[in-house]
Amino acid sequence: MLIGFSVSNYKSFREPQHISLLASKVTRHKDHVALAGNRKILKGGLIFGANASGKSNLIEAAGLSREIILYGLDKVNLEKKYFRIEKEMYGRPGVFEYRIAVNGMEYSYGLAISYMEREILSEWLVRMETNGKEIYIFNREIDEKGISHVSTEAFHKKTDESMRMKVYLEDFDQNISDAFRKKTILSDLADRGKEPAGIFAEIAEVQKWFKRMIILFPNSKYKRINELASNENTREVFSNLISFFDTGIESVEGQQQELSHGNLEELFEYEDESDGTRRLFDLLPLFYESKDESVILIDEIDRSLHTKVTRQFLELFYALKREKKCQIIATTHDSNLLDLDLVRQDEIWFVERQEDHSSRVYSLNKFRARFDKKIDKEYLLGRYGAIPVFHEELHLEGMYEE
């Protein structure tokens, strides 16, 4: 499960900004909390903010870092990804860090990248022991001379496994090649280790956690619609879900994803449907495709959806994933979702643009809002910030004069 994520020097995020999924002492919606080891972790998070506040950049930061982690720097576009308001930030590292729980263990994994050199400057995987001790499974740093230094604290005596680790890490040590400067140790060791147990299996489980991440943007399209239509079980589940949300679609028919609106002699196609219905086509597979412990991030979950549909989607997610350790984190403009009958206080986050055009992330919890508060009205009145601020005067005189 995701415990926390932080980012700095990425688009609108200049200084480190952090979102935490650790549950506070809030007592409502206990089914929105899952246990991972001795941690109580939230199963959801809603991120609010004005247009251009940086909400989407938070999801994009997770998306970019995931691609780097799994596939390497040469597979991503770093062009203009740093905090461009200040030119000197081009020469400073972009940093992405995750705090995660995997198989009852807690880890800190992160990396720092150079936008200028297009290389990984630093990478670490730390196991957090229950006694408070931190074990560096691996750690890499590139010094000012461009020399890479790699170390591990995972072994205290020589074994076949420790010797293999030493050999693999040598590829990232000292004067490493350009290819290894752009790939992560995490995925390299996970792909080469191939062990059912031990340190390499542990590293592979962390890599799998990132592989299970699901990230959806407003323009994301569900790519397995043909497979859905050809499988009787998933077709039936999807038909029930799409009908439940009052789209007018009663069923998905045949293998060509044709849609019945009550007349089997006159079927409709995907292109015939509204933007809102198409958005549901992209979102609904999450109910049956997400794994037991997947993390789902959605940018603009409310895009093209009626507020009641978005709310029902979230309520259904919590209900269907009650016994699972799935998490859903979404950005939204829909202030109607600021309802403590729907989510907990600690599940609500805000992103606000500062005077220097950087983004600041903070939790509703800092305001100590009571559970009986009308959070949506307080938000629109500016109580929590993160709303549009218009210029006091807009001069329209002469705008339409010839």
Side-chain angles (χ1 to χ4, degrees):
M1 299 188 76
L2 179 65
I3 300 173
F5 174 66
S6 66
V7 57
S8 63
N9 194 20
Y10 175 80
K11 290 195 170 182
S12 62
F13 297 106
R14 186 188 190 281
E15 300 300 321
Q17 298 298 313
H18 179 75
I19 183 170
S20 172
L21 277 297
L22 282 175
S24 66
K25 295 181 180 180
V26 173
T27 57
R28 303 189 81 202
H29 301 297
K30 292 182 179 180
D31 56 332
H32 291 199
V33 177
L35 281 174
N38 61 352
R39 295 283 202 178
K40 293 181 178 180
I41 304 176
L42 297 169
K43 299 176 72 173
L46 290 180
I47 304 169
F48 296 83
N51 294 105
S53 62
K55 300 187 306 299
S56 294
N57 291 342
L58 193 63
I59 306 299
E60 289 176 15
L64 178 81
S65 57
R66 177 184 181 273
E67 293 295 301
I68 296 171
I69 292 164
L70 296 179
Y71 309 114
L73 264 178
D74 56 350
K75 301 297 183 182
V76 301
N77 179 13
L78 293 182
E79 196 69 28
K80 299 179 180 179
K81 294 297 194 295
Y82 61 97
F83 183 69
R84 295 169 59 200
I85 303 301
E86 300 175 14
K87 291 183 179 180
E88 61 269 23
M89 297 302 288
Y90 181 56
R92 297 185 187 179
V95 183
F96 311 85
E97 183 171 16
Y98 293 82
R99 197 69 169 256
I100 62 177
V102 182
N103 294 338
M105 298 297 297
E106 186 174 332
Y107 300 91
S108 170
Y109 174 80
L111 70 165
I113 64 171
S114 168
Y115 294 106
M116 185 180 295
E117 303 296 335
R118 300 291 203 274
E119 66 178 357
I120 295 173
L121 299 174
S122 179
E123 182 188 5
W124 60 93
L125 176 62
V126 183
R127 184 198 304 132
M128 322 301 290
E129 302 286 331
T130 53
N131 60 5
K133 189 176 181 180
E134 298 181 355
I135 304 296
Y136 275 84
I137 296 177
F138 60 76
N139 183 52
R140 76 195 278 194
E141 296 281 351
I142 293 182
D143 64 23
E144 295 178 353
K145 297 180 179 179
I147 306 299
S148 179
H149 304 277
V150 183
S151 61
T152 177
E153 297 177 341
F155 303 97
H156 299 288
K157 59 183 179 180
K158 289 187 177 181
T159 62
D160 289 342
E161 190 179 46
S162 67
M163 293 304 294
R164 287 181 63 200
M165 173 72 93
K166 181 177 182 295
V167 170
Y168 291 159
L169 290 181
E170 284 177 352
D171 288 332
F172 295 89
D173 204 14
Q174 301 301 309
N175 295 304
I176 64 176
S177 67
D178 287 343
F180 282 93
R181 286 179 182 272
K182 296 181 185 299
K183 66 164 58 176
T184 62
I185 293 178
L186 179 71
S187 285
D188 184 74
L189 294 185
D191 293 340
R192 287 206 277 179
K194 306 294 185 184
E195 296 291 339
I199 196 68
F200 292 107
E202 185 177 358
I203 293 170
E205 286 300 311
V206 175
Q207 184 204 42
K208 287 178 184 176
W209 186 91
F210 286 101
K211 286 185 175 181
R212 288 195 296 265
M213 282 181 70
I214 299 173
I215 303 177
L216 296 178
F217 295 99
N219 59 351
S220 296
K221 298 298 179 186
Y222 183 60
K223 298 178 180 179
R224 299 175 60 187
I225 190 68
N226 290 331
E227 182 179 336
L228 177 153
S230 62
N231 183 291
E232 184 176 350
N233 290 332
T234 55
R235 188 170 68 242
E236 182 178 355
V237 171
F238 187 85
S239 295
N240 290 335
L241 286 169
I242 200 72
S243 176
F244 171 79
F245 281 95
D246 192 29
T247 59
I249 299 173
E250 295 183 357
S251 63
V252 179
E253 300 295 332
Q255 298 185 14
Q256 303 301 318
Q257 66 266 8
E258 293 177 309
L259 311 169
S260 170
H261 281 266
N263 181 2
L264 291 176
E265 296 181 359
E266 189 64 46
L267 298 176
F268 291 73
E269 297 178 355
Y270 172 84
E271 289 73 16
D272 297 322
E273 302 301 327
S274 69
D275 288 343
T277 299
R278 294 185 192 184
R279 181 61 166 166
L280 285 173
F281 266 78
D282 303 325
L283 295 177
L284 293 182
L286 295 174
F287 287 119
Y288 54 84
E289 281 206 349
S290 58
K291 306 300 181 183
D292 288 353
E293 293 194 26
S294 59
V295 178
I296 302 165
L297 296 98
I298 306 174
D299 187 25
E300 295 187 26
I301 189 174
D302 55 321
R303 185 183 68 79
S304 300
L305 297 180
H306 190 281
T307 184
K308 291 191 68 174
V309 172
T310 310
R311 183 188 181 98
Q312 187 64 65
F313 179 91
L314 291 169
E315 290 178 343
L316 190 59
F317 180 89
Y318 282 120
L320 294 180
K321 301 296 183 179
R322 188 184 304 273
E323 304 301 323
K324 309 293 184 182
K325 293 183 178 180
C326 290
Q327 295 168 286
I328 186 168
I329 303 165
T331 69
T332 177
H333 292 112
D334 191 347
S335 61
N336 291 307
L337 301 179
L338 278 166
D339 185 347
L340 298 183
D341 288 331
L342 174 66
V343 293
R344 297 161 49 106
Q345 290 97 316
D346 48 7
E347 291 181 290
I348 295 173
W349 290 79
F350 301 105
V351 179
E352 184 175 65
R353 188 175 70 251
Q354 306 299 289
E355 288 187 5
D356 66 355
H357 297 277
S358 67
S359 296
R360 180 171 70 99
V361 180
Y362 55 97
S363 171
L364 174 66
N365 246 9
K366 67 174 286 189
F367 297 95
R368 303 182 183 276
R370 298 198 317 268
F371 73 90
D372 57 346
K373 273 276 190 180
K374 295 294 291 182
I375 301 298
D376 57 339
K377 291 183 179 180
E378 296 278 319
Y379 171 64
L380 293 177
L381 289 172
R383 170 77 171 86
Y384 311 117
I387 60 172
V389 178
F390 306 107
H391 292 292
E392 292 183 3
E393 296 183 5
L394 177 61
H395 300 288
L396 301 178
E397 293 85 354
M399 180 175 290
Y400 299 106
E401 294 179 1
E402 295 184 358

